[in-house]
Amino acid sequence: MVLDPAVGDPLTVLAHGIGSQHDLPISPFYAFAGAFTALFVSFLALGLLWSSSRFRGDRSGLALPAGLQRVADAPPTRGALRALGLAAYLALLASLLLAPDDPDRNPGPGAVYVLFWVGLIPASLLLGPVWRLLNPLRTLHRLLHSPLRRLRPAPHRPAPLPARLGQWPAAAGLFGFTWLELAAPDPASTTTLLIALAAYTSAHLALAARFGERWFDDGDAFEAYSALLARLSPLGRRSDGRLVLRNPFHGLDATPERPGLVATVCVLLGSTAYDGFSDHPAWIDTLQTSPLGRTPTATLGLIASIALVATLYCLCAAATRLVSGPHPGPLTAFAHSLVPIALGYLTAHYFSLLVTEGPRTVSMALGTDNGPDPLPPLGSAALAALQVVAVVTGHVLGVVAAHDRAVRLFPPHRAVTGQLPMLALMVTYTLGGIGLLLN
């Protein structure tokens, strides 16, 4: 993690994920040229060598041993995971309520912004949608619902979820969390975190009481976040319910085309882009001198970043339709290809934070935080290279996913030309992402 001295305060680090990236020792020319070459060469190779769709979604995968699946699906295993999630939730509450309101002495802010928000990335990539199994709100809903169900004289049937709702609640929840992290006045304050936690918990328990436990599938922001990242996990479920090892591209191809999917991914991309830009000296000057005040200006900047990412994608979808002709779901058909791009940005911005602040947060929670301040795991040159490679790799994987979907949807003579708008979008996102890293 490369920190600017002006933003070295722990509260600022936690609030913005990673410090400023100025003066990383890598040539911008080589970074941009390498990124463009990787995208262009991969696009040409796919156009010449990949003429039919190869990804089969949730119909593929090598079935794991039946005994392993029985253990994974056994009620004691599921119960232990739910208990673990609830225990962590209660421990966080206790820390926020009882420990000092100081990020250097209270593990609560680090638990929220590092172990939870950033830690869900590798956990979901390695193990699948783990938050669905750990989610303490599901457990609280079951604990509250069971006695109420026994008291009712007649069985209570949850109201049906409107189909058009889709993942829009999750997109709104993710925006709220990223606003708390990047624009709120005092994001690491225990009071701020307690209010946010109470509001989120009460809102979702009320909605789950109305719509049933299935509300959490798409309505809970962090279940949607974990499930999206888990699309690139080698562990997955086949359509017949079997636990399988799979090519991550098959899992990505099975991403449901739901309302709100584009918004969810664009919130992830746009908020990460704003996080990278928020430490630029020009933006810091704007925040300090804006007549609106810091929080309203930061909020507008966050909204503008998300809106820019979404607008570019929508323009790309419209251009694809003009070039290739009508196709079902013009906005959602290629939304899955944005997931590896979002993963690349998240890795570039948060890798250093997780491996430095994560262990320190755990040590603080265990009462053993007596060592020196955490040091970056990589030198500045290696960190810069990792960040650029993560961004470029995410875009190359996005190109592969989009190409496979295009040769499935479009006639052969339009499959390659139909991807030109998507290639232009990938190049734009890549150049913007690397520019933010090297600003």
Side-chain angles (χ1 to χ4, degrees):
M1 180 168 58
V2 180
L3 296 179
D4 187 277
V7 293
D9 173 67
L11 186 149
T12 305
V13 173
L14 288 173
H16 293 279
I18 188 169
S20 110
Q21 309 290 323
H22 310 308
D23 301 323
L24 291 181
I26 185 170
S27 166
F29 172 78
Y30 289 118
F32 288 127
F36 179 80
T37 301
L39 287 173
F40 191 69
V41 169
S42 61
F43 176 78
L44 289 179
L46 290 168
L48 293 173
L49 304 175
W50 198 307
S51 58
S52 60
S53 176
R54 302 182 184 185
F55 302 146
R56 303 194 307 277
D58 58 6
R59 296 168 300 177
S60 66
L62 177 65
L64 292 172
L68 180 61
Q69 177 157 349
R70 283 195 296 270
V71 172
D73 293 341
T77 303
R78 298 302 178 99
L81 291 173
R82 286 195 296 269
L84 177 63
L86 184 59
Y89 177 87
L90 295 176
L92 173 63
L93 275 179
S95 175
L96 295 175
L97 287 169
L98 303 176
D101 190 4
D102 178 359
D104 277 335
R105 300 163 59 200
N106 190 331
V112 172
Y113 294 121
V114 181
L115 297 181
F116 173 59
W117 176 243
V118 184
L120 266 182
I121 300 172
S124 301
L125 286 176
L126 293 174
L127 303 173
V130 291
W131 191 243
R132 190 179 192 279
L133 302 176
L134 295 169
N135 191 349
L137 300 187
R138 280 185 181 267
T139 306
L140 289 173
H141 169 72
R142 291 185 180 186
L143 293 174
L144 294 172
H145 184 65
S146 295
L148 290 177
R149 184 171 50 189
R150 287 195 296 266
L151 291 174
R152 289 191 180 100
H156 170 69
R157 293 185 178 181
L161 274 169
R164 64 180 181 276
L165 198 61
Q167 288 189 333
W168 280 106
L174 284 173
F175 174 79
F177 181 83
T178 54
W179 177 87
L180 179 70
E181 180 193 15
L182 302 172
D186 198 5
S189 162
T190 56
T191 302
T192 300
L193 288 171
L194 282 170
I195 292 172
L197 192 61
Y200 194 82
T201 299
S202 57
H204 279 277
L205 289 180
L207 289 164
R210 173 171 175 77
F211 295 111
E213 191 174 336
R214 66 183 181 278
W215 162 261
F216 296 108
D217 293 341
D218 288 321
D220 185 279
F222 305 107
E223 282 203 15
Y225 171 60
S226 176
L228 271 180
L229 296 174
R231 291 291 168 185
L232 287 166
S233 172
L235 283 176
R237 294 276 180 176
R238 215 162 48 193
S239 56
D240 60 2
R242 286 300 303 270
L243 190 64
V244 296
L245 281 176
R246 65 188 181 189
N247 179 340
F249 277 113
H250 293 301
L252 184 62
D253 186 66
T255 304
E257 296 182 29
R258 305 288 308 282
L261 172 63
V262 174
T264 302
V265 182
C266 286
V267 168
L268 286 175
L269 282 171
S271 61
T272 309
Y274 176 77
D275 189 10
F277 181 68
S278 63
D279 288 322
H280 193 285
W283 183 246
I284 293 174
D285 290 341
T286 300
L287 292 177
Q288 292 174 344
T289 59
S290 172
L292 296 176
R294 179 196 173 277
T295 297
T297 305
T299 301
L300 291 175
L302 177 61
I303 293 173
S305 296
I306 296 171
L308 177 61
V309 169
T311 299
L312 290 174
Y313 176 78
C314 291
L315 289 175
C316 168
T320 299
R321 189 171 187 176
L322 287 175
V323 172
S324 301
H327 59 84
L331 283 179
T332 56
F334 294 94
H336 71 300
S337 66
L338 299 182
V339 176
I341 299 174
L343 175 60
Y345 283 134
L346 290 167
T347 302
H349 280 268
Y350 295 128
F351 164 79
S352 183
L353 177 74
L354 180 62
V355 297
T356 54
E357 292 298 323
R360 193 173 81 87
T361 300
V362 173
S363 296
M364 197 187 311
L366 297 176
T368 59
D369 187 33
N370 298 318
D373 290 338
L375 296 175
L378 300 173
S380 56
L383 179 59
L386 172 67
Q387 291 171 326
V388 172
V389 168
V391 170
V392 174
T393 301
H395 283 85
V396 170
L397 297 180
V399 168
V400 174
H403 176 84
D404 189 85
R405 183 64 56 88
V407 296
R408 182 188 308 166
L409 292 177
F410 303 142
H413 64 285
R414 291 184 176 179
V416 174
T417 56
Q419 294 176 71
L420 291 175
M422 184 61 71
L423 176 64
L425 178 71
M426 300 291 183
V427 170
T428 302
Y429 281 171
T430 304
L431 298 183
I434 294 177
L436 290 174
L437 290 174
L438 303 176
N439 63 27

